[in-house]
Every structure is written in structure tokens, then in C-alpha cells.
């Protein structure tokens, strides 16, 4: 639309001396009839004025589609301005008037052969913007001519048109051979044609990641690099982004490309600079570090990055987010540029925080004095968020640069003396980390920390202080009194503080058992009996069990020596960092998330990696370890974030064990540990002995030795067995279980985020959800309701969320569904509209369930019945589809489909082609019959579907595709 806006601006310079604003003034009633008359006028000027009025009305949102035939008649003109206006109208209304749009085809064909190249380009550009299936096939011939036009302006416009046409009808573009023509344009003599051809091919390749459209080789790369010097800035970006996808054959080719790309670093456009940095960062991976050119390149990369920081704040922020990634990969590039990251008084907060982060990453023994002086000054600023981050940064510097630790601790103590509440609390949080990094070194400051106990009101600071008191209880005379003061308001504390307090008191008990027995009884009772938080209860029971069975083992577990924390706990995980480096200059580099995390839609997102880095764990700062192929260095020990731990859990094999015999013997220590952590005392803990007044005096009372029934299940069956989610029936082997998707984003629901998936287990449809509270307030009173839908899906019971959902907490919920609710046909058929209520508001979202959820277990038809039914269903009800890029043989496909209740009735082989005849039955009694044709060696399957309700066929096909491809 930008191009059309520019054209409209150009149009104002034609003819009329008055400004075009007169066309936007409100007009009288009956204007459509007047415009109709003017459009059919014999006078050219009157006709042009009328079209301008129509475009003005269209621009302000009036419906002028009734004038479609009259405006299209005005296409037959030599006036370029009028033609542009008519084409603009046509693009806007062609989709709503497809039958009339066909009237314009002849004019397009004629205009594509006009002697004026501007008109030829205008015609081909408009063709690409009209997204009407009916007329695309008529446009192939004109497009083919324009792709081979003598004028480069027409060719470059036609190249973009191919990408647009591919988006409307990919098969047509492939059949007509346009992709090959597009590849030929990469060798074009005009650099802008080359740039547009690259842009079009890249766009098409993104939607078809496995198509290998951009077959880059040294000859093609040479052509692109030649065009790079002569095309416009956006053309340069397209070419640079394409170069970044190329993997050079050796370090010589890599160096050659770097040398030719380096001049782009001095470009005025920041997008060109970032694209060039991306190419150089990628190809540097292949250069030996002892090469002179490598050092030269490092020096050349710094100035352009520094220059980006002199732009306006928004551009600075984007540059800083990219620099953050670059510094994590290659800190040596900017190690001498610390001063440019010092905060200015008028920087916006988002720029200040980002600069602070980079300062810490660049901090080293050489510049630490300078950095600390800056940070101390920042800690006296007025902006609370910035001050907090600055205080935290001082702690991170202490952990990163050991020589500076003493100076950092002294600075933190000075800040504590200011008695500014939020500064004190932040300082206590970071001092806890310093104790973890340097044990038995700075404990003399504990007395000063204890003086500020009463001023702590933030959960993180309270939790940190409690940890310090529990960890160093033997050095604090009144540790029991301090912890007891926290215990008084136990139920009002946040979960983080409650968990820390429980652990601290158990540590205190193990260090001073005689003095604190009453205190530990009190906290265990509060945690297990008076709390409804499962995390707190579980930890309380584990401590209870440890203390009651083996206090010596308890001491070894609770008071074990802790590992030192690492220098950088917030580094991006190495493989993710590699992928983000390949996306420098895009949104991914600003979000610090891979594109797959935020790009919605059907387009496949390719995961990119740096060349030569797969499995080479070499850190950015480590010296070259030689060319030993097998020598890999261990990655830095980073404390995993909660997300990483979740990732590990999700990678567990969730399929049940294949053996059906007796459970394996539990002689292995590890297996017993998994089951017998609480001994057999779960019954008594939850019900009898400890429910009333437990005998805590001598050794807490013995635990019953009876093993609860639920613990007798075989170990190793994955999470389904562990939590008995499947009610004794696990997922069939190979069943396709789609991943959870975000149904309700937090920004649309006042902080409540819902991700979920539909599953069918043992004949029961379930809606499995994760509710995540990203707001600052507690959420309670959850309820759920469905709108009427195509298959009568409705909740089979209330949404069971019994505990309040605190800030930054998430909770899993499984909602069983029935199919006896009210029915109304939805568009698409499998669309479900949901309302979720909590104590804050009611929120609405819609999601789509896979139709396989509705396939029942008794959907296998008898052969004779199948034949009779197939013949009985009219041929008009038959739909045929192609499933592309599927590499299973017919037996594997049949087994996979059976796990989704799609049953194979018969199979026959005709001329090397396997034909599977299949049936499935929906919960509302509708049968769907299928014929699946699988040709050996051909990755494309053909499927024919027959059903008395043909509208379900599209959903069934999508389900086939999802199951067979995953």
C-alpha cells in the first residue's frame, strides 16, 4: 500500500492547480448516482474528477463498490494518472466483486504489452495485488512476458508479483515454471532485478523450508556480491539476508565474502549495517583465530555498532538488544568500548536498563574500577527500577570479577547505610549470591544485614535474609528469635518466603537441635496441615519424613555443601544464542526468542545454526584449541532457569512401558529412591497418625511401614504412570499428541495466559490447560463455559482449580468434555468459542480442536458394509486431497492412523501403489470413509474422502496431514 500512497502523492502534481483536499469534504445524499453519471461522461477531465471522488470516498471508508463496473470501464485510457487511480480501486474491491473483476483481465493483458514501461509495470503490480483465484490463471501469460521484459523496471516488478501469486496459488506458480524464471533473474544484468528476485525467492522459501529454492553456490554468491554494490539500500538488505543463509566451503571463501561485505558497515541505513554484521558474525565462525584478517575484522565491527548508539532512543534500543547478543558470542569486539554504554541522564529507562546489562557483560579486571564508580553513582538516581538494577549489577560484578569482590561488598555496605528501603532490599538479595560464590569470606557483614531486618517488605529480600540466617545460624546468636519473628505471620507470607523459612528452620534445628525443637514442630505443622499449597506441603512432608527416620541422613541432605554459583546466570543458552545470531536485525534479536516462539501461522520456521559450531562447545573467549576434531570443551555451568528444567521434563518419554509382565525388581537404589522417598508413610501423613497432635518429642514418632497402593506401580512408565493421568490406559504407541498452544495471551486477559491442547484418552476427550498468572494480583474463582458448537462439545464438570493462582505461578488443569451440549454449525467446523471467568473479569477466546478427538473407538466398519456405504454415498460428496512430503510406508501410515481411531478395513496393491481403505466414526454417528493411496518412493499421498456430511472432509484431511507428518 505504501507504493500506492506514493503514487497518489505523485498524482497530485498532474493537472489540477487546486489541492486534492476538496475531494474529502462531506458530500450530499445521492452522490453515488451523480458519480455514476460522471464516470460515464464523455469528457475526460470530468471522468478523472469522478474517479478521484470515488477514491476519496473509498479512503474514508465509504462503500463505493456499487460503482465497480463504471470505474472498470475507465481503465481504457491513455492517461497514466487515471489508470493508477482505477487500478487502486480495483485492488481494493476485486475480492468482494470477483465476478466483475474478470472484466478487467483483458485490460491487464493489453496493458502488459503497452509501449510505456511504467504502464506495463503498473499492470503487473496490480495483478499481483488482486487476490482472486478466478482470475489468477488468466494472468500467467502477461506475467511470463513481463518477467522477460526488456525494461528492468518491469522485470523487477514482475519478480515480486511471482511471490504474491505463489502466496495465492503455489501449485499454479510451480506448474507454470515461474520459479525457474525467477532463479534465472538472479543472473540479470540489473542489480535491482537481482535484489527483487532474491527477495521473492526468499519469501517463497520461507513458506516452503524444504524446497531448496535458493540453491546458493559460489557462482550465484559472486553475482549477488556484484549486485550488492549497485542496488538500493533495501535491495542490499535482501541480498545480505540471503548471503547469511549460505555456508562457505572453506575459510578462504569465507574471508573473500567478508572482505566484500565489510564496506556495507559504513552505510547510512542502520538496517543495512545490522544485516552486514549478521553476515560477518556468521562467516567469522569459519575463520582461524590466529589469522591476521580475523583481528582486523574484529576491529572493523566495533565502530559501526558504536555509531548506531548515536541514533534516536528507539533505534538505540534495537541496536543494544543486538549488541547484547554479539557481546555474549564475541565480547572481544567491544571490550575497549565500555564508555559508550555509560548511561546518559536523558536516556529513556528501557535504554538505561539495556546499557547496564551490556556493561556487566563487558566488565573485566581491566575496567572494573571504572564500572563500579559508574554503578555506585547510578544507585543514587531517582528512578527506582534503574537503581534496583544498578545495585544488582554491583553484585553481578562481584561474582564475575573475583578481584573486585571486596570492593563490591564494601560499596553494597555503603549503600545499605543510606537506609533507602528498596536499595537495602536489593543489596541483601545480591549479598546472598556473593555468599554463595565466596563461602567463608565475607560473613562478617551479617551483623549489618540483621540490623535492617525490620525494613524488609519484599518477598525476594525477605527470602534472601531468611536464607542467610538459616545458612549461618551457628554464627548468629539470636537466629532462632529472628526466624521466629518471621513465623508469626507465616500464612501472610508469599510462597517463596514460606519455602525459605521452612528450610531455614530445619537447618537451624539440625545445627541447634535442643534449643529449636518446638520451633521446627511449629513450622512443620504450619506447612503440612495448615497450608493448601502443594509445593510447601510436599517439602514439609519430605523434611518430616527425613527427620523422623534418619536425622543423620537429614543433616547430609539439608546441610550438604552447595556448589558455587557461576559467573553468568543469565546467559542465553548456547544453541539459542547461535540461532539468534543468525537472526540479527530481525524481531527475534529484539525479543531474544527464536521466530518459532512468536510467529503464528502455517509457515514453517527454519531453525538456523552458525557454521562449524555444531557440537563444538567452544566459548567465545577461549583460545583456539587446535584442529583436533573430537576435542570439545564443556559449556559454562549455568544455573538452569525454571524454563530449562521444564524443557528437560517435557523431553521425557511419555509412552508407557511395552512390557505387560510383572514390575521389575526394585533392587536398584535409584528406583527405590524414586518410590520410597517418604517411606510408606503417605497414608498416615495425609490421614491418621500425624493429623492430630503428632508425637514430636523423641524422633518424631516412627513412620508406618506400609507401602501405599499407588506406589506399587512399575517405575519408569513416564509421567502418565507416575500421576495416573490416563486412568490406567496410556497413550497408544505412536499416537500423535499435538503440543500446547497459546489460546489466551496474557495481554488480552489482564495477565492470565492460557495454553492448552485437546487429547483423547481411553475414550474421554480432555481439554488440558496450563493457566499462568503474569499479573501482580492473586487469581481465584475460576469457571469455564463453551458457546454452542458444531459437535455439541461441553464441559463434563466444573473447572477444578482449588488453590488460588499467585503472581508468576502456573497451574495445570484437565477438563473432561462431553458431546451432548447444544449444537450450532461453526466456521471453521472445529472452532470452539470459550469464556473463562475469574475474580478479575470474564475473558473470551476461540480455539480449534483436532477432529480426531471426536473419532470413537468403535469406528471400524465391516468390509461388506464399507463397500455398500461407499457406493451409496453420492460421488458429489467425494473430496480428494494431496498430502505432500510424507515418507512413511503404507503399514507405518496405517499403524499411525489407527492410534487416532482411523481404522484400516482392507489393503490392496495395484501396480506398485498401496491402497488403504479406512473408516472412522464421529461422536455424533457420522461415518467418514477414506481411500489412501501410497506409492513407494513418492512422498506425496493421495486421499479420497466420502461422507454424507461433506463439510467435515476438510477437517478430516487436516487431521490426516497432522498425524502422518508428526
Amino acid at each position: 500500500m505504501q507504493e500506492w500512497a506514493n503514487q497518489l502523492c505523485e498524482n497530485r502534481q498532474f493537472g489540477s492547480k487546486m489541492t486534492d483536499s476538496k475531494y474529502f469534504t462531506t458530500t450530499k445524499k445521492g452522490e453515488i448516482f451523480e458519480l455514476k453519471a460522471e464516470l460515464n461522461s464523455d469528457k475526460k477531465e470530468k471522468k478523472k474528477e469522478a474517479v478521484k471522488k470515488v477514491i476519496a470516498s473509498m479512503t474514508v471508508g465509504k462503500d463505493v463498490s456499487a460503482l465497480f463496473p463504471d470505474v472498470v470501464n475507465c481503465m481504457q485510457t491513455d492517461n497514466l494518472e487515471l489508470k493508477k487511480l482505477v487500478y487502486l480501486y480495483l485492488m481494493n474491491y476485486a475480492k468482494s466483486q470477483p465476478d466483475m473483476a474478470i472484466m478487467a483481465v483483458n485490460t491487464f493483458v493489453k496493458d502488459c504489452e503497452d509501449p510505456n514501461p511504467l504502464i506495463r509495470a503498473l499492470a503487473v503490480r496490480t495483478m499481483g495485488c488482486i487476490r482472486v483465484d478466478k482470475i489468477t490463471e488468466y494472468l500467467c501469460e502477461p506475467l511470463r512476458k513481463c518477467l522477460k521484459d526488456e525494461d528492468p523496471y518491469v522485470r523487477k516488478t514482475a519478480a515480486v508479483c511471482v511471490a504474491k501469486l505463489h502466496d495465492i496459488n503455489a501449485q499454479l506458480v510451480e506448474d507454470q515454471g515461474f520459479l525457474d524464471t525467477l532463479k534465472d533473474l538472479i543472473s540479470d544484468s540489473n542489480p535491482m532485478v537481482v535484489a527483487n528476485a532474491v527477495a521473492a525467492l526468499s519469501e517463497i522459501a520461507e513458506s516452503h523450508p524444504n524446497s531448496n529454492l535458493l540453491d546458493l553456490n559460489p557462482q550465484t554468491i559472486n553475482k549477488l556480491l556484484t549486485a550488492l554494490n549497485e542496488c538500493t539500500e533495501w535491495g542490499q538488505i535482501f541480498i545480505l539476508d540471503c548471503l547469511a543463509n549460505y555456508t562457505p566451503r572453506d575459510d578462504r571463501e569465507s574471508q573473500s565474502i567478508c572482505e566484500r561485505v565489510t564496506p556495507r558497515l559504513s552505510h547510512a541505513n542502520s538496517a543495512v549495517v545490522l544485516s552486514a554484521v549478521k553476515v560477518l558474525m556468521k562467516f567469522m565462525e569459519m575463520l582461524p583465530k590466529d589469522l591476521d584478517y580475523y583481528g582486523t575484522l574484529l576491529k572493523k565491527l566495533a565502530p559501526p555498532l558504536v555509531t548506531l548508539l548515536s541514533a534516536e532512543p528507539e533505534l538505540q534500543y534495537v541496536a543494544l538488544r543486538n549488541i547484547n547478543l554479539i557481546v555474549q558470542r564475541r565480547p572481544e569486539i567491544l571490550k575497549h568500548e565500555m564508555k559508550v554504554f555509560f548511561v546518559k541522564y536523558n536516556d529513556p529507562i528501557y535504554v538505561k536498563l539495556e546499557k547496564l546489562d551490556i556493561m556487566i557483560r563487558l566488565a573485566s579486571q581491566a575496567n572494573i574500577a571504572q564500572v563500579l564508580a559508574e554503578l555506585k553513582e547510578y544507585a543514587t538516581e531517582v528512578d527506582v527500577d534503574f537503581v534496583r538494577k544498578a545495585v544488582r549489577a554491583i553484585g553481578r560484578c562481584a561474582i564475575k570479577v573475583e578481584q573486585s569482590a571486596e570492593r563490591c561488598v564494601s560499596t553494597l555496605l555503603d549503600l545499605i547505610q543510606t537506609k533507602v528501603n528498596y536499595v537495602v532490599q536489593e543489596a541483601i538479595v545480591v549479598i546472598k549470591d556473593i555468599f554463595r560464590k565466596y563461602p567463608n569470606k565475607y560473613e562478617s557483614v551479617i551483623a549489618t544485614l540483621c540490623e535492617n531486618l525490620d525494613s524488609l517488605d519484599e518477598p525476594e529480600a525477605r527470602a534472601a535474609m531468611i536464607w542467610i540466617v538459616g545458612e549461618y545460624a551457628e554464627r548468629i546468636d539470636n537466629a532462632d528469635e529472628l526466624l521466629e519473628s518471621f513465623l508469626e505471620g507465616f500464612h501472610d507470607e508469599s510462597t517463596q518466603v514460606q519455602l525459605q523459612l521452612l528450610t531455614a528452620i530445619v537447618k537451624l534445628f539440625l545445627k541447634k537441635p535442643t534449643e529449636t525443637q518446638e520451633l521446627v514442630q511449629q513450622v512443620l505443622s504450619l506447612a503440612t496441615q495448615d497450608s493448601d499449597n502443594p509445593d510447601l506441603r510436599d517439602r514439609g512432608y519430605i523434611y518430616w519424613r527425613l527427620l523422623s527416620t534418619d536425622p543423620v541422613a537429614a543433616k547430609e541432605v539439608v546441610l550438604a555443601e552447595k556448589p558455587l554459583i557461576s559467573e553468568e546466570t543469565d546467559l542465553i543458552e548456547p544453541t539459542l544464542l547461535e540461532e539468534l545470531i543468525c537472526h540479527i536485525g530481525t524481531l527475534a534479536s529484539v525479543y531474544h526468542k527464536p521466530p518459532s516462539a512468536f510467529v503464528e501461522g502455517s509457515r514453517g520456521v527454519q531453525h538456523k545454526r552458525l557454521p562449524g559450531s555444531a557440537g563444538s562447545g567452544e566459548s567465545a573467549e577461549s583460545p583456539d584449541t587446535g584442529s583436533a576434531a573430537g576435542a570439545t570443551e564443556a559449556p559454562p555451568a549455568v544455573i538452569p532457569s525454571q524454563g530449562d528444567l521444564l524443557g528437560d521434563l517435557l523431553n521425557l518419554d511419555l509412552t508407557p512401558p511395552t512390557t505387560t509382565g510383572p514390575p521389575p525388581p526394585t533392587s536398584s537404589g535409584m528406583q527405590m529412591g524414586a518410590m520410597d522417598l517418604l517411606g510408606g508413610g503417605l497414608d498416615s501423613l495425609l490421614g491418621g497418625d500425624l493429623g492430630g497432635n503428632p508425637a514430636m518429642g523423641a524422633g518424631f514418632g516412627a513412620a508406618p511401614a506400609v507401602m501405599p497402593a499407588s506406589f506399587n506401580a512399575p517405575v519408569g512408565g513416564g509421567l502418565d504412570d507416575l500421576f495416573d493421568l490416563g486412568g490406567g490406559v496410556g497413550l497408544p504407541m505412536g499416537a500423535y499428541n499435538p503440543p500446547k498452544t497459546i489460546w489466551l495471551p496474557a495481554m488480552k486477559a489482564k495477565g492470565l495466559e492460557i495454553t492448552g491442547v485437546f487429547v483423547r484418552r481411553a475414550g474421554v476427550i480432555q481439554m488440558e490447560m496450563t493457566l499462568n498468572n503474569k499479573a501482580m494480583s492473586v487469581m481465584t474463582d475460576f469457571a469455564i463455559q463453551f458457546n454452542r458448537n458444531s459437535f455439541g462439545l461441553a464441559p463434563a464438570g466444573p473447572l477444578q482449580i482449588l488453590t488460588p493462582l499467585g503472581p508468576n505461578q502456573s497451574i495445570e488443569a484437565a477438563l473432561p468434555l462431553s458431546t451432548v451440549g447444544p449444537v450450532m454449525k461453526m466456521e471453521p467446523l472445529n472452532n470452539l468459542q470459550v469464556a473463562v471467568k475469574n475474580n478479575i473479569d470474564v475473558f473470551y477466546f476461540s480455539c480449534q480442536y483436532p477432529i480426531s478427538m471426536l473419532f470413537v473407538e468403535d469406528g471400524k466398519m465391516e468390509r461388506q458394509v464399507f463397500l455398500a456405504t461407499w457406493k451409496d454415498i453420492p460421488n458429489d460428496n467425494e473430496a480428494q486431497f494431496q498430502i505432500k512430503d510424507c515418507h512413511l510406508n503404507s503399514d507405518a501410515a496405517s499403524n499411525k492412523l489407527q492410534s487416532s481411531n482411523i481404522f484400516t478395513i482392507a489393503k490392496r496393491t495395484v501396480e506398485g501403489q498401496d491402497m488403504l481403505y479406512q473408516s472412522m466414526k464421529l461422536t455424533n454417528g457420522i461415518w467418514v470413509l477414506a481411500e489412501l493411496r501410497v506409492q513407494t518412493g513418492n512422498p506425496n499421498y493421495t486421499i479420497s474422502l466420502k461422507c454424507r456430511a461433506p463439510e467435515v472432509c476438510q477437517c478430516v484431511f487436516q487431521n490426516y496431514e497432522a498425524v502422518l507428518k508428526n
Side-chain angles (χ1 to χ4, degrees), residues 729-794:
V729 181
L731 289 174
M733 287 299 287
Y736 167 55
N737 211 12
K740 282 186 178 175
T741 52
I742 295 179
W743 285 341
L744 182 64
M747 61 190 294
K748 290 187 179 176
K750 299 182 182 176
L752 173 65
E753 181 185 83
I754 299 180
T755 58
V757 66
F758 292 90
V759 295
R760 185 181 181 96
R761 290 202 179 94
V764 178
I765 305 169
Q766 283 191 327
M767 192 178 186
E768 293 190 349
M769 295 175 281
T770 302
L771 285 76
N772 200 341
N773 182 359
K774 296 189 175 180
M776 299 304 291
S777 52
V778 175
M779 296 182 180
T780 56
D781 307 329
F782 286 92
I784 194 165
Q785 199 169 339
F786 294 174
N787 197 0
R788 290 184 296 169
N789 54 80
S790 307
F791 294 95
L793 280 179

Side-chain angles (χ1 to χ4, degrees), residues 356 375-376 378-379 385-395:
L356 206 51
L375 292 176
K376 192 170 182 182
Y378 299 161
D385 286 337
F386 182 52
V387 171
R388 285 175 181 279
K389 185 104 177 184
V391 175
R392 201 159 282 216
I394 294 171

Side-chain angles (χ1 to χ4, degrees), residues 238-400:
F238 292 137
I239 291 174
L240 287 167
D241 287 348
C242 180
L243 286 172
N245 294 326
Y246 176 62
T247 304
R249 292 167 303 175
D250 52 33
D251 57 343
R252 284 182 62 191
E253 188 186 2
S254 189
Q255 181 176 340
S256 164
I257 294 171
C258 288
E259 284 168 351
R260 294 176 73 177
V261 168
T262 306
R264 300 300 111 211
L265 292 174
S266 53
H267 201 284
N269 186 321
S270 50
V272 176
V273 174
L274 281 176
S275 291
V277 168
K278 170 167 62 183
V279 174
L280 296 172
M281 284 292 291
K282 183 171 180 180
F283 291 176
M284 276 172 77
E285 296 290 328
M286 296 191 69
L287 298 177
K289 291 186 175 58
D290 54 358
L291 194 70
D292 289 342
Y293 181 70
Y294 180 83
T296 311
L297 196 52
L298 285 179
K299 286 176 189 166
K300 282 184 178 175
L301 275 168
L305 292 172
V306 170
T307 307
L308 290 175
L309 298 181
S310 57
E312 52 267 34
E314 292 79 9
L315 274 178
Q316 273 189 58
Y317 179 72
V318 172
L320 287 165
R321 292 294 280 175
N322 281 277
I323 288 169
N324 201 325
L325 298 173
I326 293 164
V327 163
Q328 287 185 56
R329 185 75 194 171
R330 302 210 173 277
E332 61 268 37
I333 292 174
L334 289 161
K335 66 181 177 185
H336 300 305
E337 304 290 345
M338 176 64 86
K339 280 192 175 176
V340 298
F341 299 107
F342 286 175
V343 170
K344 299 190 180 96
Y345 76 95
N346 59 347
D347 280 340
I349 183 65
Y350 54 88
V351 171
K352 285 181 176 178
L353 296 177
E354 206 56 41
K355 281 184 173 179
L356 206 51
D357 209 31
I358 295 168
M359 278 171 64
I360 300 157
R361 296 202 193 287
L362 291 175
S364 64
Q365 200 175 339
N367 58 25
I368 192 69
Q370 203 179 11
V371 171
L372 269 180
E374 277 288 310
L375 292 176
K376 192 170 182 182
E377 199 175 316
Y378 299 161
T380 58
E381 289 269 346
V382 290
D383 192 314
V384 177
D385 286 337
F386 182 52
V387 171
R388 285 175 181 279
K389 185 104 177 184
V391 175
R392 201 159 282 216
I394 294 171
R396 280 174 63 186
C397 285
I399 290 165
K400 186 175 182 188

